[in-house]
Amino acid sequence: MEYGYGKIWKITYPVLISLLMQQLIGITDTAFLGRVGDGVVALGASALGGIFYLVMYVIGFGFSVGAEILMGRRNGEKQYSAIGEIFGHGMVFLMALALAMFVISEAFAPAILGASISSDAVYDATIIYTRWRVAGLFFSFAGIMFRAFYMSVTNTRILTVNSLVMVASNVVLNYLLIFGKLGFPELGIAGAAIASVISEVISMLFFIVYTRRIKDHRIYGLMRRRRLKWSVQKQILSVSGWTMIQFFASCGTWLFFFVAIEHLGDRSLAISNIVRNVSALLYLFVSAFATTGSAMVSNLMGKGKQDEVMPLCGRIIKMSAVCTLPLILFAALFPQAIIRIYTDNPGLIESSIPSLMVMLGAYIVAVPAYVYFLAISGTGNTRVTLWIELFILSIYVSYTWLTAIHLRTDIAVVWVTESIYHRLLLVICWL
């Protein structure tokens, strides 16, 4: 057995800690902004602005996933110099992509958001947040390429340290810039975006300094200057092109979800931002195990051990469930305590509970669904995962449009779409 429970946990827990630290950035942003004014406008604007940024970010992340799959395959084949070549080409591509995203955002974001958001107050705050936040793409894209490398060679410990540095920077900068403490200007929602960008700069510099100091970078040729080869870039895009489209479609749907909810009012949007942050906290546990599984599957395929893939998935599902189910139960038993982290508005707390309960129910199915979904990606069969995602997202969008825009139902009813998504994903990926 290539990967037993101990080996899975040894690789997963640094990924889990790094994702937890990154999630704390979103938690602190929401917690601080929930105390700006009555919290409703700031929470709604940060939700829309954050997801608008995320739509662009996940395109780069999708590219890094494809690069990670290829680097993991080369690691299994012990072709170490090829890993450095993929890494270098990936970094150049992502910097060019960040520049294109920045220019597109500056040119079209006001028109896109203006046509989508009905509240003038929410629109103004969203534009302020977005303009600062998108500037961080250059640094976040560099960071995800380093993350892909360390995931592919299953050396995940550095991800923990990097995330600790990043979240500590973000918490301090949020406090200083949102509320104007210690002589800093009081910037409100702009301060949250600026704090996130500076944190990403610090994270990128940490990766560069650490990588240059380890001897392994010479084995892989990470810092070596290379001629760009279209053949290498084409090879990466043959895998990552599908994941880029998949992640863009998935996150674009998430943006549609929040734009649709905005039409139900500022309060519904604020509720959804709170529920989204609790959901993201649960998702990081699911994602850590599923992402580790994808990297392990890539390595197993490189070693010709395809028969071990399904047993590996079973072990990862059990471990993910052991970590996730207690958190779901705690949140279900003490919902007010969880929601109070994000807002001190009593009415908002009570109104958020039904949607929170609906979301928690969806996560029981999400554990096996994501493990199988990313295992398919790990085999390199990213075209199949794209078609699976597009099919399910079409149903997701249809349900959201029907309940939020056409029928204008209660916000908790709209959140049922998460349960529909995860159940369909599990059945199709199992088959």
Side-chain angles (χ1 to χ4, degrees), residues 155-228:
N155 179 15
T156 53
R157 289 174 296 177
I158 184 56
L159 303 181
T160 302
V161 182
N162 180 267
S163 297
L164 284 169
V165 172
M166 188 174 178
V167 74
S169 304
N170 187 260
V171 170
V172 173
L173 290 167
N174 260 328
Y175 178 72
L176 297 177
L177 297 176
I178 292 176
F179 301 116
K181 302 297 183 180
L182 300 180
F184 285 84
E186 184 178 345
L187 299 176
I189 193 168
I194 294 169
S196 296
V197 173
I198 297 173
S199 299
E200 286 165 348
V201 173
I202 294 170
S203 171
M204 179 194 70
L205 293 174
F206 182 91
F207 270 132
I208 292 172
V209 171
Y210 175 83
T211 304
R212 289 188 68 88
R213 291 178 65 88
I214 61 171
K215 64 180 181 180
D216 284 358
H217 82 79
R218 298 184 182 90
I219 299 173
Y220 299 109
L222 294 182
M223 300 299 179
R224 188 183 307 163
R225 297 184 67 179
R226 302 173 184 271
R227 285 181 56 195
L228 294 179

Side-chain angles (χ1 to χ4, degrees), residues 256-265 268-269 272 404 411 414-415:
F256 172 80
F257 177 81
F258 272 84
V259 168
I261 286 174
E262 193 269 341
H263 286 74
L264 295 176
S268 292
L269 187 59
S272 291
I411 183 61
V414 182
W415 270 92

